[in-house]
Amino acid sequence: MLLSRYQMRRRHEMLGLERSAYVVLSRLIMQGPMSIGQLSAAFGLDTSTLNRQTAALLRSGLVERIADPGGGIARKFRITAEGTRRLEETVEATVAGLERVLSDWSATEVAEFATWLRRLNTGIERLSGQPWPRPQ
């Protein structure tokens, strides 16, 4: 959150995606199309919250509704090309911000920080029972 605030203050404009959009789009990139029920289970959020979030994403053209590719009954949400572009822009801005913050850190310090951050995240995921899918 501090990095996001720093980025916005620095440029005096809203950069990238809102946090909830970033999280949902990131999950759709990692797992492919998902239904409201699957998103609800993945995030531990009630369906009404996900309905509001996905409605905003639909209005913005960042996701689209599709028939279940597996033949199921529930319609699924799939990220659009525009959603992918905006997510990639947001990731690039975040990485650039981190690079500025860590510019005076040694390579060893950055690697240690990454190790501890991954350990913190996986520990939270383990306790919450909601692991985040990661690329291999």
Side-chain angles (χ1 to χ4, degrees):
M1 287 176 48
L2 288 174
L3 180 61
S4 296
R5 283 190 219 142
Y6 164 76
Q7 298 263 72
M8 284 188 275
R9 254 196 328 263
R10 197 167 163 274
R11 301 232 179 128
H12 306 292
E13 62 187 48
M14 182 64 172
L15 290 177
L17 297 165
E18 171 186 295
R19 181 187 174 278
S20 63
Y22 180 89
V23 171
V24 170
L25 294 177
S26 295
R27 194 66 175 237
L28 293 175
I29 283 283
M30 293 302 303
Q31 286 191 261
M34 296 176 74
S35 68
I36 286 287
Q38 290 171 318
L39 289 167
S40 177
F43 296 126
L45 297 171
D46 62 88
T47 56
S48 64
T49 300
L50 270 302
N51 275 318
R52 283 191 301 276
Q53 291 176 355
T54 54
L57 293 171
L58 280 166
R59 283 190 304 274
S60 301
L62 303 178
V63 299
E64 60 189 350
R65 277 196 182 115
I66 62 166
D68 184 344
I73 297 171
R75 294 183 47 87
K76 296 197 173 191
F77 293 93
R78 176 174 60 194
I79 191 168
T80 62
E82 177 66 8
T84 300
R85 184 188 70 74
R86 295 270 310 276
L87 181 61
E88 288 171 352
E89 282 179 354
T90 303
V91 169
E92 287 172 12
T94 301
V95 169
L98 282 169
E99 286 173 347
R100 284 191 300 277
V101 170
L102 303 176
S103 65
D104 61 342
W105 291 30
S106 72
T108 301
E109 289 170 324
V110 171
E112 287 176 8
F113 175 68
T115 298
W116 288 110
L117 188 57
R118 179 175 290 271
R119 186 172 177 191
L120 174 69
N121 286 337
T122 56
I124 291 168
E125 292 166 357
R126 179 180 43 78
L127 290 174
S128 71
Q130 296 174 315
W132 189 263
R134 291 182 174 84
Q136 298 303 346

